[in-house]
Amino acid sequence: MNNPAEQIIAASQTHLQAFEGAAMKAFAAAEKLVELNMAASKAVLGESLGHAKAVLCVKSPQEFMSLQTAFFQPVAEKSAAYFQHVQSIATEGGTDFSKQIETSLAEAKKAFAASVDQLVKNAPAGSEAAVAALQNAMSQGQKAVETAQANFAVVTKQTSDMVKKTTQAV
């Protein structure tokens, strides 16, 4: 496969497959969050209805206060467990997604660089200025990609730190 166009097409197909894999991992994390939220909602509804039934059978203020205390006391523990589970899902999903994207970008970069090298080797005489412009554009594009990756890493860390702080506060 010495044709640069074929190399770029093959690299694009590989990149698209990698993106599909990353998207599937993101959807898997979202599914886990939906499952967690459904289970938590179902549990809260069941506990609330059970508590409401118990409140309707209360005969004295002391019994009511005791029932209320018993109901609300474990809420903080359950909330903390819930947020820790959310953090675990978010961290795992973010890590998997980041690894997939980083791997894909590295492979695409190699394939594109190989294609451009092949194109430069086969460039006709007198096209040196165009080749130099292409190489300059690639260099600038690489710098832009590196900046974007660094920004993505910063945002990912900030989001992770924020989730950790939220779960610790609860």
Side-chain angles (χ1 to χ4, degrees):
M1 187 185 325
N2 289 333
N3 185 346
E6 289 176 2
Q7 290 176 336
I8 291 172
I9 291 169
S12 296
Q13 289 173 340
T14 301
H15 187 64
L16 184 61
Q17 289 172 345
F19 177 75
E20 179 184 24
M24 295 307 288
K25 287 182 181 192
F27 280 118
E31 285 175 344
K32 287 180 183 180
L33 284 173
V34 168
E35 289 173 9
L36 174 64
N37 287 333
M38 290 299 293
S41 297
K42 186 177 179 180
V44 167
L45 180 62
E47 291 171 4
S48 297
L49 291 174
H51 180 68
K53 289 176 186 176
V55 167
L56 293 174
C57 297
V58 167
K59 305 282 187 220
S60 70
Q62 292 83 7
E63 188 179 351
F64 176 76
M65 290 306 291
S66 174
L67 187 63
Q68 290 294 90
T69 302
F71 180 73
F72 287 109
Q73 201 168 25
V75 169
E77 293 172 7
K78 290 178 183 178
S79 295
Y82 169 80
F83 284 115
Q84 286 174 344
H85 202 152
V86 168
Q87 177 188 4
S88 171
I89 292 169
T91 301
E92 178 184 324
T95 300
D96 289 347
F97 185 79
S98 295
K99 285 180 184 176
Q100 185 74 34
I101 293 297
E102 288 172 5
T103 301
S104 172
L105 287 174
E107 290 172 3
K109 185 173 119 179
K110 284 182 199 175
F112 187 72
S115 298
V116 170
D117 287 344
Q118 186 69 30
L119 185 65
V120 167
K121 287 178 186 174
N122 296 326
S127 62
E128 291 81 12
V131 168
L134 177 63
Q135 289 173 329
N136 185 35
M138 282 187 51
S139 175
Q140 295 302 318
Q142 177 62 33
K143 289 177 184 175
V145 167
E146 289 171 0
T147 301
Q149 287 175 330
N151 290 339
F152 181 73
V154 168
V155 169
T156 301
K157 180 165 179 10
Q158 289 174 342
T159 304
S160 178
D161 290 347
M162 185 176 66
V163 170
K164 287 178 185 176
K165 287 179 183 177
T166 303
T167 57
Q168 291 171 353
V170 174

